[in-house]
């Protein structure tokens, strides 16, 4: 019993920071929880005491006009599950534990274990089962604890989900959502820190979205759940706790964003900066710094990686004549490479400077904090690249 | 709770020290049992177990029995997640094999006579005759399509020869409301459900009438109308799909189940294990039918697993299982019939291991005489042919005779040759079908690509193949 409380407190304190040992810890939990569900009545009493404690540590206390990304995702799931009885959530720890990152908080209580499924630890298993359920008319939302673990299930995401509608000539649609944190978190090393945007975005049959703000998170997740095709929703762990102002329209349960449309987060005329997910925030901050130096940067939040909003990107480049792409993923065959190609194809004549590509370092993510910082794009990198594009600093060649 | 924890901690510590001892005593090199398991690839004829049974006292093969520990249990019982566990003073490892392999349920002997005492589900004359004529049709279809591939008229084919009973008898025991997630050696299920020979031919010739719009290679049939999901070339991915569909069916409460087929090789994929585990945990109405035909392309089962086949794996996952003679249509029919009723009424997964033999090559890309003796193939083809055995049974009952037999074979042959000729003449899919169904609604990049392609063809018609209707 004391051991149990300790575990709980420990978990509450550190769940948002350290997810590396989550797999280890949840194994311990697994044993205790099984005991709770199969054991004697005294154990059940204890079980009932734990649940409120676990729920109480985070309340929806934010004012109506500002919510964090976690609340945005949670409310989007809640509203879509409430609106459509065929929507259900499955994944590791999504039920009793309310999600490794608490995205599914309160949903088990509200919708019951038939619609909020805790699965065994087999990504390939529950992804395949999700696809099968989608074949037969349900709309599964499959949570990966991180998209790094989706690699164990990529066969089902690509070969089963993405291709079935085409292979069956439209007889088998797969309305399924794959969601979870993607990209670099903090201090969790190579197997928790990769961005899979370009991987999934290279596959026809899939749609891929990457929300940045609370508005994005609500609008894109709702769109993904309502979409008849398989959609990959790439969230970011470090954004979950970040708050953003939202309008009443965004908070309305009918709110939804179109998949395939980018958003101009900040208008500008000198240089276009494209980014998605956490990097949008960095790009906006870089634009603020650039503004002080007299450079007006236009920041495009891609929102959708596939389909890619080539029209918005190209219209912006035709206006600013300069382009900097930003992503956390690896540079080779990355999202930036694709954007660069689209601009070369459609707006080559408008470019006044070489396209600058800011990406993660071409190495697996190192753990040590000093090296880790060097491996992901920083605001200064974006500022420098934008200045180079505007010929306001030394060129890459001369600094190299 | 605290008491429970302390008790079990103590137990774990005791267990750890026991393990320590075990580690020490078992570090001596074990005697080798590297027999040549490839030849002969005995599948299920009466034979001694492959494994040496006198390695250690503790590993001596146990009898097929649930009480592994016999009378050694004493009063100490631990309340452990999953149920009570008894302690035993005897250090005994569970053997990797049993003295006797799991028995195989059979109704008809090789001569088509019901075995004395066999219990089976009665089959009416009408159903029996439909089963038989479907089995024959499947055989002829395989022969003719195989030949068509050899003549270069289609690119690929894989036959079902030797496995007709599994195909047809299992299909007969199901209803059309049961969703089928096939491998690629179960076209008989579609045939039973009313897919016509012309429809089969259209798919193999990938013409405009193919329900898959010519997108899948031959034999990868799909028909939503028949609740037959598209054949996946990736091995075993259909097994978790079936579990997912079964979960959906359980929620629907429609009184139907999901059925999935796979081979012995497929059980080595993680998907098989994940699917069985999930099905047991989620308690869903699904029937897993494994066609253990001895060969995964050229890999014999002895190189695939060392368990007593597949049936024993069910128990490990908490899934009710049975081993059936897959060349005995009546046994297959009865087992699937019973499995279906248990799956639906109890919301339970059932595993059926059907013992059979792949008489044909793996596919038209394979020549199996390179890796297995022709005598072995011949023996299964002649002595254990499921079609002949079933024919003997219906003949014994006076339902069938030589005249009916030759009529049936002639009609089917004619129909098939006709179907092939028609299928060959039907136009191929149009250029639009290159782009449709990637998504529910085509996104702008695909619409642009199609427009661009059409304009280019218009400008340079001579550079584009003439067999793509615009």
């Amino acid at each position: 019993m004391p051991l149990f409380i300790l575990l709980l407190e420990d978990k509450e304190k550190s769940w948002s920071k350290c997810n590396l040992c989550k797999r280890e810890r949840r194994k311990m939990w697994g044993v205790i929880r099984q005991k709770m569900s199969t054991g004697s009545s005294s154990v059940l009493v204890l079980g009932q005491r734990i649940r409120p404690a676990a729920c109480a540590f985070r309340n929806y206390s934010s004012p109506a006009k500002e919510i964090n990304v976690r609340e945005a995702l949670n409310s989007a799931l809640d509203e879509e599950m409430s609106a459509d009885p065929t929507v259900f959530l499955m994944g590791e720890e999504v039920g009793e534990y309310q999600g490794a990152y608490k995205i599914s908080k309160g949903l088990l209580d509200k919708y019951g274990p038939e619609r909020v499924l805790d699965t065994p630890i087999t990504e390939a298993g529950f992804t395949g089962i999700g696809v099968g359920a989608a074949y037969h008319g349900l709309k599964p939302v499959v949570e990966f604890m991180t998209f790094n673990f989706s690699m164990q299930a990529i066969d089902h995401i690509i070969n089963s989900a993405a291709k079935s509608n085409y292979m069956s000539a439209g007889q088998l649609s797969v309305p399924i959502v794959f969601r979870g944190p993607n990209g670099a978190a903090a201090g969790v090393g190579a197997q928790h820190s990769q961005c899979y945007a370009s991987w999934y975005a290279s596959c026809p049959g899939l749609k891929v979205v990457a929300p940045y703000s609370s508005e994005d998170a609500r609008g894109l997740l709702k769109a993904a759940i309502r979409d008849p095709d398989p959609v990959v929703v790439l969230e970011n762990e470090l954004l979950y706790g970040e708050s953003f102002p939202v309008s009443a329209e965004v908070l309305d349960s009918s709110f939804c964003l179109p998949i395939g449309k980018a958003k101009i987060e900040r208008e500008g005329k000198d240089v276009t900066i494209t980014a998605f997910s956490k990097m949008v925030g960095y790009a906006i901050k870089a634009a603020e710094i650039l503004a002080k130096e007299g450079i007006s940067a236009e920041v495009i939040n891609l929102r959708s990686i596939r389909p890619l909003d080539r029209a918005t990107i190209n219209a912006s480049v035709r206006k600013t004549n300069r382009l900097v792409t930003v992503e956390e993923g690896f540079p080779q065959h990355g999202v930036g490479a694709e954007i660069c190609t689209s601009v070369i194809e459609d707006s080559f004549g408008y470019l006044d400077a070489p396209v600058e590509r800011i990406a993660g370092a071409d190495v697996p993510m190192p753990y040590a904090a000093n090296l880790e910082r060097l491996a992901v794009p920083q605001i200064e990198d974006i500022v420098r690249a934008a200045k180079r594009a505007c010929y306001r600093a030394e060129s890459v060649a001369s600094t190299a | 709770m605290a008491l429970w924890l302390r008790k079990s901690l103590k137990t774990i510590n005791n267990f750890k020290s026991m393990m320590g001892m075990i580690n020490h005593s078992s570090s001596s090199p074990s005697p080798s049992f590297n027999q040549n398991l490839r030849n002969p690839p005995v599948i299920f004829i009466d034979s001694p177990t492959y494994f040496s049974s006198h390695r250690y006292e503790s590993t001596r093969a146990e009898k097929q029995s649930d009480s592994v520990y016999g009378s050694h249990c004493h009063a100490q019982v631990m309340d452990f997640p999953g149920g009570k566990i008894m302690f035993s003073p005897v250090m005994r490892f569970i053997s990797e094999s049993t003295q006797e392999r799991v028995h195989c349920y059979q109704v008809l002997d090789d001569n088509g006579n019901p075995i004395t005492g066999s219990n089976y589900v009665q089959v009416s004359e009408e159903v029996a005759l439909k089963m038989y004529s479907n089995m024959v049709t499947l055989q002829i279809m395989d022969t003719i399509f195989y030949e068509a591939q050899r003549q270069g008229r289609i690119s690929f084919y894989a036959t079902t020869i030797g496995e007709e009973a599994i195909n047809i008898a299992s299909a007969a025991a199901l209803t059309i409301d049961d969703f089928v997630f096939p491998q690629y050696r179960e076209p008989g299920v579609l045939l039973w459900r009313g897919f016509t020979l012309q429809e089969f031919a259209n798919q193999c010739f990938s013409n405009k009438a193919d329900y898959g719009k010519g997108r899948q290679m031959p034999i990868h049939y799909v028909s939503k109308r028949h609740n037959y999901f598209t054949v996946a070339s990736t091995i075993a991915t259909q097994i978790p799909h079936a579990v997912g569909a079964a979960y959906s069916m359980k929620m629907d409460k429609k009184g139907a189940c999901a059925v999935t087929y796979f081979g012995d090789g497929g059980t080595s994929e993680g998907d098989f294990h994940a699917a069985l585990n999930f099905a047991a945990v989620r308690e869903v109405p699904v029937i897993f039918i494994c066609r253990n035909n001895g060969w995964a392309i050229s890999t014999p089962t002895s190189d695939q697993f060392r368990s007593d086949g597949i049936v024993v794996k069910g128990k490990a996952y908490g899934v009710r299982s049975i081993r059936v003679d897959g060349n005995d249509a009546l046994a297959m029919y009865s087992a699937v019939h019973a499995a279906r009723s248990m799956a639906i009424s109890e919301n339970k997964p059932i595993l059926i291991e059907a013992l059979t033999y792949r008489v044909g090559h793996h596919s038209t890309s394979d020549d199996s005489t390179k890796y297995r003796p022709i005598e072995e193939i011949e023996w299964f083809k002649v002595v254990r042919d499921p079609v002949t055995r079933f024919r003997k049974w219906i003949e014994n009952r006076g339902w069938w005779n030589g005249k009916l037999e030759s009529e049936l074979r002639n009609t089917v042959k004619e129909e098939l040759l006709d179907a092939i000729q028609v299928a060959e003449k039907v136009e191929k899919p149009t250029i639009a079908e290159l782009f449709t169904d990637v998504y529910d609604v085509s996104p702008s990049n695909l619409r642009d690509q199609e427009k661009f392609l059409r304009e280019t063809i218009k400008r340079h018609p001579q550079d584009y193949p003439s067999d793509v209707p615009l």
Side-chain angles (χ1 to χ4, degrees):
Chain A
M1 174 98 166
L3 168 70
F4 201 59
I5 298 292
L6 193 81
L7 259 172
L8 194 69
E9 284 174 355
D10 181 34
K11 245 181 147 48
E12 284 174 23
K13 271 188 217 147
S14 57
W15 62 264
S16 63
K17 285 187 218 140
C18 173
N19 64 346
L20 186 62
C21 37
K22 201 153 282 151
R23 280 200 155 206
E24 304 310 314
R25 275 209 226 124
R26 68 188 171 167
K27 281 179 196 155
M28 293 160 75
W29 269 74
V31 171
I32 294 162
R33 212 173 55 221
Q34 273 176 21
K35 177 65 197 168
M36 279 158 47
S37 57
T38 55
S40 62
S41 59
S42 65
V43 173
L44 279 175
V45 171
L46 183 66
Q48 282 159 1
R49 282 174 56 197
I50 296 157
R51 189 79 84 59
C55 295
F57 78 91
R58 174 168 270 287
N59 279 322
Y60 291 125
S61 55
S62 322
K65 294 292 178 189
E66 189 162 285
I67 60 169
N68 66 29
V69 171
R70 176 178 293 109
E71 290 158 346
L73 292 167
N74 178 273
S75 60
L77 274 172
D78 189 355
E79 287 163 17
E80 294 308 303
M81 287 181 80
S82 160
D84 183 350
T86 63
V87 177
F88 76 103
L89 179 66
M90 72 190 305
E92 295 158 359
E93 309 292 339
V94 297
E96 290 281 348
Y97 189 60
Q98 321 215 34
Y101 298 96
K102 306 294 173 223
I103 303 300
S104 49
K105 189 162 102 66
L107 299 181
L108 175 64
D109 281 345
K110 197 163 175 185
Y111 299 103
E114 287 219 317
R115 291 183 65 196
V116 182
L117 268 77
D118 274 325
T119 68
I121 309 176
T122 327
E123 279 78 7
F126 64 72
T127 307
I129 280 147
V131 172
Y135 281 159
H136 194 261
L138 292 181
K139 288 186 169 176
V141 178
V142 172
E143 173 174 309
F144 293 115
M145 199 171 275
T146 127
F147 262 95
N148 294 267
F149 303 162
S150 79
M151 289 296 98
Q152 302 207 15
I154 197 166
D155 180 23
H156 280 288
I157 301 175
I158 307 292
N159 276 317
S160 304
K163 298 178 184 172
S164 284
N165 198 53
Y166 191 75
M167 293 196 311
S168 68
Q171 294 181 76
L172 295 178
S173 67
V174 188
I176 190 170
V177 174
F178 304 106
R179 52 154 293 272
N182 170 67
V188 289
Q191 293 177 331
H192 289 81
S193 304
Q194 190 175 337
C195 173
Y196 290 91
S198 65
W199 286 56
Y200 290 116
S202 78
C203 184
L206 286 180
K207 290 175 180 170
V208 182
V209 297
Y212 158 62
S213 63
S214 300
E215 176 183 324
D216 291 1
R218 261 180 73 76
L220 292 174
L221 181 54
K222 281 161 135 329
I225 295 171
R226 294 176 198 178
D227 201 279
D229 297 311
V231 185
V232 174
V233 182
L234 302 169
E235 301 158 6
N236 187 293
E237 183 195 332
L238 299 176
L239 290 174
Y240 283 152
E242 217 164 288
S243 290
F244 293 87
V246 283
S247 66
E249 184 205 354
V250 171
L251 291 175
D252 192 273
S253 67
S254 66
F255 178 67
C256 188
L257 285 171
I259 293 177
K261 285 299 287 177
K263 179 193 179 192
I264 296 178
E265 291 280 351
R266 182 189 167 108
E267 289 203 29
K269 57 182 176 49
D270 296 331
V271 58
T272 299
I273 305 174
T274 66
F276 59 95
S277 188
K278 183 161 167 274
M279 288 298 113
V280 176
Y282 279 31
I284 292 171
K285 290 205 180 79
E288 285 162 5
I289 295 169
L290 289 164
K292 287 182 193 140
E293 302 187 26
I295 295 173
S296 159
E298 178 146 304
V299 176
I300 297 179
N301 171 3
L302 295 176
R303 281 185 169 168
S304 170
I305 316 294
R306 174 185 270 268
L308 188 64
D309 188 353
R310 290 170 66 121
T312 298
I313 296 165
N314 277 283
S316 176
V317 171
R318 287 176 184 212
K319 179 174 73 173
T320 64
N321 311 111
R322 291 169 173 85
L323 173 64
V324 176
T325 72
V326 188
E327 71 190 297
E328 282 185 313
F330 302 131
Q332 188 168 342
H333 308 116
V335 176
E338 182 59 33
I339 291 172
C340 178
T341 305
S342 94
V343 168
I344 302 270
E345 284 170 348
D346 293 356
S347 314
F348 182 68
Y350 291 83
L351 284 173
D352 283 350
V355 176
E356 290 275 354
R357 191 162 49 133
I358 303 293
D362 207 8
V363 296
M365 183 68 73
Y367 169 75
N370 62 329
L371 300 180
E372 185 192 61
R373 188 181 187 283
L374 290 176
V376 284
Q378 302 297 331
I379 296 167
E380 311 86 83
D381 298 323
I382 306 171
V383 171
R384 274 196 292 268
K387 282 186 180 172
R388 281 198 299 269
C390 296
Y391 301 107
R392 292 278 291 272
E394 293 165 288
S395 73
V396 187
S398 60
T399 52
Chain B
M1 178 69 184
L3 181 70
W4 181 85
L5 265 178
R6 211 175 305 135
K7 249 178 90 178
S8 49
L9 271 175
K10 204 174 157 194
T11 318
I12 289 163
N13 285 337
N14 288 344
F15 188 65
K16 271 185 188 161
S17 58
M18 274 164 62
M19 288 306 288
M21 275 168 52
I22 297 157
N23 286 341
H24 289 303
S25 59
S26 65
S27 56
S28 58
S30 57
S32 151
F33 58 101
N34 279 340
Q35 299 170 12
N36 183 356
L37 292 164
R38 284 184 80 99
N39 292 309
V42 181
I43 312 299
F44 56 89
I45 318 157
D46 286 344
S47 69
T49 167
Y50 286 143
F51 301 94
S52 157
S53 62
H54 40 68
R55 294 172 62 204
Y56 292 118
E57 193 266 344
S58 57
T59 59
R60 192 172 288 163
E62 81 234 13
K63 287 223 172 72
Q64 233 185 289
S65 155
D66 278 353
S67 60
V68 175
Y69 296 101
S71 60
H72 291 299
C73 337
H74 55 106
Q76 276 289 97
V77 170
M78 176 172 60
D79 192 7
F80 199 75
K84 287 185 168 50
I85 292 177
M86 286 204 190
F87 288 109
S88 161
V90 182
M91 181 177 71
R92 179 184 285 168
F93 294 88
I94 298 170
S95 171
E96 71 278 20
S97 63
T98 50
Q99 278 179 344
E100 205 176 331
R101 298 185 66 181
V102 173
H103 293 189
C104 181
Y105 168 61
Q106 193 182 48
V107 176
L108 296 177
D109 64 19
D110 284 347
N111 293 316
N113 296 317
I115 295 161
T116 328
S118 62
N119 60 22
Y120 61 96
V121 179
Q122 292 298 326
V123 179
S124 69
E125 179 178 352
E126 188 194 355
V127 172
L129 292 186
K130 185 182 171 191
M131 281 168 70
Y132 181 69
S133 55
N134 269 212
M135 281 160 76
V136 170
T137 306
L138 193 54
Q139 237 179 16
I140 299 173
M141 182 169 92
D142 274 347
T143 317
I144 291 179
F145 282 161
Y146 187 84
E147 281 309 314
Q149 195 279 340
R150 282 295 178 248
Q151 293 163 5
R153 295 157 85 179
I154 56 177
S155 69
F156 176 88
Y157 195 73
T159 69
T160 304
I161 295 168
E163 302 178 41
E164 294 89 347
I166 298 179
N167 267 258
I168 302 299
S170 67
L174 301 170
T175 74
I176 193 140
D177 295 331
D178 300 324
F179 279 70
V180 173
F181 291 81
Q183 182 85 42
Y184 38 68
R185 230 179 283 286
E186 301 87 11
V189 180
L190 255 186
L191 184 67
W192 179 269
R193 290 184 174 198
F195 207 66
T196 64
L197 297 181
Q198 189 62 58
E199 287 170 319
F200 280 109
N202 291 340
Q203 199 282 335
C204 287
F205 284 83
S206 63
N207 63 27
K208 212 173 161 178
D210 166 27
Y211 301 129
K213 299 184 182 172
R215 285 177 186 149
Q216 288 246 65
M217 56 195 290
I219 73 159
H220 289 55
Y221 309 106
V222 56
S223 177
K224 196 168 187 181
R225 197 160 47 93
H226 298 99
N227 288 331
Y228 191 90
F229 285 77
T230 186
V231 171
S233 305
T234 45
I235 298 296
T237 50
Q238 74 278 12
I239 314 176
H241 294 167
V243 177
Y247 186 72
S248 175
M249 296 168 97
K250 179 185 173 183
M251 286 172 88
D252 276 357
K253 299 182 178 70
K254 287 232 176 94
C257 65
V259 185
T260 181
Y261 297 80
F262 45 92
D264 41 273
T267 66
S268 295
E269 290 277 8
D271 279 348
F272 165 77
H273 300 270
L276 257 72
N277 191 39
F278 272 76
V281 170
R282 302 293 350 161
E283 297 175 356
V284 297
V286 58
I287 308 175
F288 302 103
I289 301 181
C290 176
R291 298 173 292 93
N292 181 352
N293 65 19
W295 296 93
I297 308 187
S298 74
T299 308
T301 50
S302 55
D303 282 350
Q304 201 72 246
F305 43 72
R306 290 297 167 88
S307 55
D308 175 12
I310 287 93
V311 66
V312 293
K313 291 172 185 173
K315 189 175 175 184
Y317 290 110
V319 173
R320 205 173 290 167
S321 323
I322 188 170
R323 172 172 279 166
V324 182
D325 182 350
N327 288 16
D328 175 350
L330 272 192
M332 206 53 211
Y333 179 85
S334 303
V336 175
H337 196 276
R340 181 179 188 274
S341 107
M342 287 188 288
I344 294 170
S345 66
E346 299 176 47
N347 265 326
K348 272 207 184 332
I350 311 285
L351 171 65
I352 297 175
E353 178 187 19
L355 299 182
T356 184
Y357 188 81
R358 196 193 77 209
V359 170
H361 304 303
H362 165 72
S363 71
T364 45
S365 318
D366 173 44
D367 174 6
S368 65
T369 58
K370 292 265 193 308
Y371 51 81
R372 55 181 192 177
I374 293 173
E375 304 78 56
E376 177 188 304
I377 304 173
E378 279 302 308
W379 188 78
F380 278 101
K381 196 174 174 179
V382 176
V383 180
R384 294 197 47 86
D385 177 40
V387 185
T388 313
R389 199 190 315 183
F390 196 62
R391 179 183 166 182
K392 284 175 184 164
W393 183 68
I394 53 173
E395 278 180 348
N396 290 347
R397 312 207 75 181
W399 293 345
W400 197 251
N401 56 45
K403 185 167 166 278
L404 290 170
E405 177 79 16
S406 60
E407 272 173 22
L408 172 68
R409 287 189 179 270
N410 288 337
T411 322
V412 173
K413 216 171 176 176
E414 266 173 44
E415 251 183 77
L416 263 162
L417 292 173
D418 238 32
I420 285 188
Q421 277 178 355
V422 171
E424 258 177 335
K425 283 184 199 130
V426 175
E427 241 185 11
K428 295 291 178 193
T430 65
I431 204 160
E433 305 299 8
L434 183 60
F435 299 97
T436 54
D437 306 317
V438 181
Y439 297 95
D440 189 53
V441 177
S442 252
S444 59
N445 68 317
L446 281 181
R447 291 197 302 272
D448 290 348
Q449 276 184 47
E450 185 179 347
K451 203 173 137 218
F452 181 73
L453 179 61
R454 285 182 186 280
E455 283 165 4
T456 316
I457 294 175
K458 214 176 265 173
R459 278 200 307 275
H460 311 282
Q462 69 285 358
D463 293 333
Y464 280 83
S466 56
D467 64 348
V468 186
L470 290 176

